[in-house]
């Protein structure tokens, strides 16, 4: 619940994303991920990434993924 958070970097070593991890971070719009797009789509919990915030896309090392 951090309204001043606008951008986050997640390293490629992240193993999973928990539910509501960015809930209440209403100004969060960009997540950069250190891995490739194919790694992101197989990351457990990735479906929770935009819960409670306004993330439009994930920037991966080989391009971006629209949500």
């Amino acid at each position: 619940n951090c309204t001043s958070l606008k951008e986050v970097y997640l390293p490629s070593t992240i193993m999973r994303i928990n539910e509501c991890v960015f809930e209440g971070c209403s100004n969060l719009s960009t997540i950069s991920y250190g891995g490739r797009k194919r790694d992101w789509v197989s990351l457990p919990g990735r479906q929770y990434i935009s819960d409670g915030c306004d993330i439009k896309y994930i920037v991966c090392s080989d391009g971006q993924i629209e949500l």
Side-chain angles (χ1 to χ4, degrees):
N1 196 8
C2 181
T3 57
S4 63
L5 187 64
K6 295 180 181 179
E7 190 172 329
V8 169
Y9 173 79
L10 300 175
S12 62
T13 55
I14 193 168
M15 302 298 284
R16 111 173 248 89
I17 296 173
N18 292 328
E19 263 183 269
C20 305
V21 66
F22 295 118
E23 185 173 7
C25 298
S26 55
N27 290 315
L28 179 60
S29 61
T30 304
I31 291 186
S32 298
Y33 174 61
R36 298 170 293 189
K37 292 189 285 186
R38 73 176 190 185
D39 300 327
W40 177 261
V41 298
S42 64
L43 185 65
R46 74 189 178 289
Q47 69 272 20
Y48 303 124
I49 200 71
S50 61
D51 288 355
C53 54
D54 194 28
I55 298 170
K56 303 277 193 261
Y57 53 88
I58 307 297
V59 179
C60 300
S61 63
D62 61 346
Q64 70 182 32
I65 299 172
E66 282 195 51
L67 300 180

